Amino acid sequence: MTDPLFEYLCRMGDSTLVLGHRVSEWCGVAPVLEEDIALANTALDLIGQTQLWLGLAGEVEGKGRDADALAFHRDVWEFRNLLLVEQPNGDFGRTMMRQFLFDSWHLSYLKGLAGSSNDQIAAIAEKSVKEVTYHLERSTDTVIGLGDGTEESHRRMQDALDRLYPYVGEMFLTDAVDTAMTEQNIAPDPATLRPAFDAHLDAVLQEATLTKPQDNFAHKGGKTGARHTEHLGHMLSQMQWLQRAYPGATW
């Protein structure tokens, strides 16, 4: 049986890795220069967090795999990221809605991890909170600005919310790995974070003049590796091809 702590660390690292790569796809093609720079910085923050999470995962596993090996030499069914983060960028509005939904969960979860009984996890969370606080401020402002903007921007943001909301529920599902982490006081129970998330989401959507979908159906399977969308495989084929073609290459 896989060590629950290793599984857990991969969940954290894989989600930031996949989202970091997705956001980096905007580099050089964002709507305006300021957004290009801001998105690139967000991607760098997420990849930096990935190095810490997956680096620690490699230490816990004890098989000689470092963060790079875990990122570039695992196949799609070995990834444990949330399904939300692997969704394609779409237009700028969809990218920022995805970012907002993830940031809203991410910040509250990291704050819970700051009190972890595992000192290394607590240290990673404490460092990451500073970065993700900015991420959430920016994505919140953008969702409000576009949602309550022009008729076109409002329509696009509502479409983005309708498309992405079904992936929100997975962030709060609790399974055996989450239970093991909670019992050891390593991490909070994801389900306990849902009320605060919903309250924040409702407040932002009201200001953005957007309507939250009433259907609470939740896609799941990403963080357990049981199911991913077809988008992850295509993304990994781009992200991993250099290391797969030239194993161990350095520069």
Side-chain angles (χ1 to χ4, degrees):
M1 177 180 291
T2 305
D3 184 344
L5 180 56
F6 172 74
E7 282 281 316
Y8 175 77
L9 292 167
C10 284
R11 291 179 179 186
M12 297 300 295
D14 288 350
S15 288
T16 53
L17 172 63
V18 173
L19 184 58
H21 185 85
R22 275 286 184 238
V23 175
S24 75
E25 292 173 348
W26 278 101
C27 189
V29 294
V32 293
L33 181 59
E34 182 178 358
E35 292 298 336
D36 204 303
I37 295 171
L39 287 168
N41 284 333
T42 298
L44 286 171
D45 286 344
L46 292 168
I47 296 302
Q49 293 166 26
T50 298
Q51 290 181 308
L52 298 174
W53 290 123
L54 293 187
L56 182 55
E59 293 178 20
V60 168
E61 184 186 38
K63 296 182 180 180
R65 294 197 291 182
D66 59 10
D68 285 344
L70 289 171
F72 296 118
H73 293 285
R74 283 182 298 154
D75 290 315
V76 64
W77 54 84
E78 297 176 277
F79 272 71
R80 300 294 185 262
N81 59 278
L82 296 164
L83 293 174
L84 173 67
V85 299
E86 67 191 51
Q87 300 310 302
N89 288 332
D91 60 23
F92 180 69
R94 190 186 303 174
T95 289
M96 294 310 299
M97 180 61 73
R98 182 188 61 200
Q99 191 69 41
F100 165 69
L101 294 172
F102 179 78
D103 291 342
S104 298
W105 166 83
H106 198 200
L107 182 58
S108 62
Y109 196 73
L110 288 171
K111 287 180 176 179
L113 287 179
S116 174
S117 62
N118 183 303
D119 292 340
Q120 291 171 289
I121 289 177
I124 296 172
E126 184 177 359
K127 177 185 182 300
S128 301
V129 160
K130 299 174 184 177
E131 298 170 339
V132 177
T133 296
Y134 166 72
H135 296 175
L136 180 57
E137 289 176 355
R138 182 173 170 277
S139 61
T140 297
D141 288 346
T142 305
V143 166
I144 292 172
L146 293 176
D148 192 33
T150 67
E151 181 178 345
E152 177 69 9
S153 69
H154 174 85
R155 180 187 66 78
R156 288 180 181 242
M157 295 309 289
Q158 186 64 57
D159 287 349
L161 178 61
D162 293 344
R163 175 183 288 268
L164 296 173
Y165 189 73
Y167 295 98
V168 165
E170 185 186 22
M171 298 188 288
F172 304 98
L173 295 178
T174 301
D175 63 7
V177 171
D178 296 308
T179 299
M181 296 302 100
T182 302
E183 290 175 347
Q184 299 174 54
N185 294 318
I186 290 176
D189 181 346
T192 63
L193 304 177
R194 187 67 192 258
F197 173 91
D198 284 338
H200 175 69
L201 178 63
D202 290 344
V204 172
L205 294 183
Q206 182 177 8
E207 194 169 352
T209 67
L210 298 172
T211 303
K212 184 171 72 174
Q214 295 304 304
D215 187 351
N216 288 319
F217 169 77
H219 291 290
K220 60 183 179 179
K223 72 177 191 177
T224 64
R227 182 180 296 107
H228 286 286
T229 65
E230 70 274 19
H231 309 298
L232 182 62
H234 294 300
M235 195 210 83
L236 292 180
S237 69
Q238 293 181 328
M239 189 185 82
Q240 296 179 336
W241 78 268
L242 182 61
Q243 275 294 324
R244 293 300 187 102
Y246 304 98
T250 59
W251 56 86

